[in-house]
Amino acid sequence: MEDWPYRLLAFVGFFVIAFVSWLTGRRGRLNWRTIAGSVALAWGLGLVTFWFPGSRWILSVVNDVVVAMLAASQKGSLFLLGPLALGPGQTLLDGTASIGFILAAQALPAVVFFASVMSGLYYLGVMQAVVRVFARLFYRTMGLSGAEALSGAANIFVGIEAGLIVQPFLAAMTGSELVFVLTCMMATVASTVMGIYVGALHHVVPQIAGHLISASVIAIPCAVLASKLAFPETEHPATLGGIPIEAGATRADRSEMSAADAPSNLIVSLIEGAGQGVRMAVGIATLLIVFLGLEALLDLALGQLPFWGGTPLSVARVFAWLTWPFTILLGLRPDEWSAGADLLGSRFVETEVSAYFRLAALQSASPPAFSTRSLTTMTYALCGFVHFASMGIFVGGIAALVPGRAKDLSILGFRALWTAFLTTLMTGCIAGVLAAF
């Protein structure tokens, strides 16, 4: 095992990143049960994911199901868009070939399909049952408040919609609870958009769908560690005594309806979910258009400055410099540091969608940019909505649910973006230590 020094570096890196979270946070009395419990659970989940004898089979089954769903979602896209919906190398029955990759035609339709399926599963009560299992696990092992445990569990599967599950408790949440809620939202990926990442990487990352789900699960205790080190709890949460299960029954897939407006049947639920998926897909497309355009404008401005190292400055290059030390802590090999830093840095502006597609392109090159272990590490480290656009979306979304806390949320948003970034790095470190043995 010639890469053991890099695995050791990733192990040390996990605790260095945790220390950075504490160092850059506010001072307060730490809850050592929460800190120790989050560390133990994070590494325990990592061991189960990578070392448990049945984990490979489970990841394979999950991956096969998600890939099959992705393929099924393409049928509707082909009917509407024809050859535009074909991925590179695919052909229609009449021999018409794909014209190449088009994100809007080949990836975003999957968001609509996945959102509809998730809505149906919530209507049937499947997802609520799964959320409750994880909520109990988080509550008992890490000493969280009941609302925090529910929010964390829901974020394994959904994004901003998780706020609806704890909506009755948002007004009374402490600052530490709000930081944790926002951190979880930005440090995980919603299952409704997972199809985009699976579509980008399933040819280069074995069992990518299973890894993305496990990354979101491992990210919850890591989010607890990062947020509670940076913003310790100094008050008494209203739901400290137990998990408010009745809130867990609230459907988490509707951002504009109350529980009283539940759909009348499964078909209506699927239609509503598809409608939300359309809004989500349009939102993703809008963000990419706006922020990639803004990045191009900033690059034009930076290009007027003196060259650095023979090449012009750019936004992505500046962020790559800032994230370079963390790339080393992930346990990547020295020849992988530059590519890793570019991906981590660009994500802040270009979003994780662009980062995952760039990762796929780098790995498809000859020779590939990353070893198998490092590729898994980067897959986990990029798994989260850690960019400025998502911060605005999540802060604005939660503020809409509880307008009286808008000022607090706007102040805590940047702190949560930072702790979410550190959270994804810690999940990457766990993968870097345990993956590909």
Side-chain angles (χ1 to χ4, degrees):
M1 203 171 67
E2 69 282 355
D3 60 353
W4 70 265
Y6 304 108
R7 295 182 186 273
L8 178 61
L9 179 58
F11 180 78
V12 174
F14 177 91
F15 295 98
V16 171
I17 293 167
F19 176 73
V20 169
S21 183
W22 173 81
L23 191 65
T24 56
R26 74 169 189 178
R27 295 296 173 264
R29 184 177 181 180
L30 299 177
N31 184 330
W32 288 107
R33 177 196 169 189
T34 299
I35 302 302
S38 61
V39 172
L41 184 59
W43 284 96
L45 290 171
L47 288 170
V48 169
T49 298
F50 293 106
W51 287 8
F52 181 67
S55 63
R56 292 184 181 274
W57 178 81
I58 294 173
L59 290 177
S60 178
V61 170
V62 171
N63 184 77
D64 291 344
V65 169
V66 175
V67 171
M69 291 175 62
L70 190 63
S73 72
Q74 192 182 38
K75 184 174 182 179
S77 302
L78 287 172
F79 182 78
L80 291 174
L81 303 171
L84 292 178
L86 291 173
Q90 294 182 324
T91 59
L92 294 175
L93 293 177
D94 62 4
T96 303
S98 168
I99 64 173
F101 178 75
I102 303 174
L103 177 67
Q106 297 166 25
L108 294 184
V111 175
V112 180
F113 183 76
F114 274 69
S116 181
V117 171
M118 288 298 295
S119 179
L121 291 175
Y122 268 102
Y123 175 80
L124 296 173
V126 175
M127 297 312 300
Q128 289 93 323
V130 177
V131 167
R132 287 169 189 156
V133 170
F134 280 103
R136 292 190 183 99
L137 173 66
F138 298 152
Y139 177 77
R140 292 174 181 175
T141 58
M142 296 184 288
L144 301 176
S145 70
E148 285 177 319
L150 272 176
S151 178
N155 270 287
I156 297 172
F157 309 102
V158 295
I160 184 64
E161 302 89 352
L164 291 172
I165 289 184
V166 293
Q167 182 177 3
F169 315 102
L170 288 172
M173 275 191 175
T174 66
S176 180
E177 286 182 298
L178 289 175
V179 169
F180 172 73
V181 168
L182 291 172
T183 299
C184 283
M185 288 181 174
M186 288 186 271
T188 55
V189 295
S191 56
T192 47
V193 299
M194 188 172 62
I196 296 179
Y197 314 137
V198 175
L201 292 170
H202 74 276
H203 293 301
V204 294
V205 181
Q207 302 174 349
I208 176 60
H211 281 308
L212 290 173
I213 293 175
S214 67
S216 285
V217 175
I218 296 172
I220 302 303
C222 290
V224 172
L225 180 61
S227 63
K228 297 305 180 182
L229 285 172
F231 206 102
E233 184 62 82
T234 58
E235 304 173 63
H236 187 81
T239 59
L240 191 61
I243 301 174
I245 295 299
E246 66 276 7
T250 301
R251 285 190 28 156
D253 61 330
R254 302 188 320 275
S255 60
E256 298 175 356
M257 295 184 180
S258 66
D261 299 316
S264 57
N265 55 57
L266 178 60
I267 300 301
V268 173
S269 179
L270 292 173
I271 293 172
E272 290 178 359
Q276 186 194 43
V278 170
R279 294 190 294 272
M280 193 178 301
V282 171
I284 292 170
T286 302
L287 289 177
L288 290 172
I289 292 171
V290 172
F291 277 84
L292 291 179
L294 289 175
E295 181 188 21
L297 286 177
L298 290 174
D299 286 345
L300 287 174
L302 291 174
Q304 306 307 309
L305 300 175
F307 283 16
W308 186 283
T311 57
L313 289 175
S314 67
V315 174
R317 192 179 181 194
V318 171
F319 276 103
W321 289 339
L322 296 175
T323 57
W324 190 288
F326 298 104
T327 306
I328 298 173
L329 292 174
L330 286 173
L332 303 183
R333 296 174 179 272
D335 60 311
E336 301 167 336
W337 290 349
S338 179
D342 287 342
L343 290 171
L344 290 177
S346 66
R347 177 179 57 170
F348 278 102
V349 178
E350 297 179 359
T351 79
E352 75 290 338
V353 175
S354 177
Y356 271 128
F357 278 100
R358 289 181 60 189
L359 174 62
L362 288 171
Q363 198 62 19
S364 299
S366 183
F370 299 99
S371 66
T372 301
R373 183 188 64 86
S374 297
L375 177 61
T376 304
T377 298
M378 291 304 303
T379 300
Y380 277 67
L382 292 173
C383 189
F385 299 117
V386 183
H387 48 81
F388 296 112
S390 72
M391 182 189 70
I393 292 171
F394 292 133
V395 169
I398 297 300
L401 296 176
V402 54
R405 303 299 300 273
K407 181 179 180 181
D408 294 334
L409 289 165
S410 64
I411 295 173
L412 298 174
F414 282 100
R415 184 183 295 274
L417 179 64
W418 173 242
T419 53
F421 173 62
L422 298 179
T423 295
T424 59
L425 292 178
M426 284 191 277
T427 62
C429 287
I430 292 174
V433 173
L434 301 175
F437 265 104

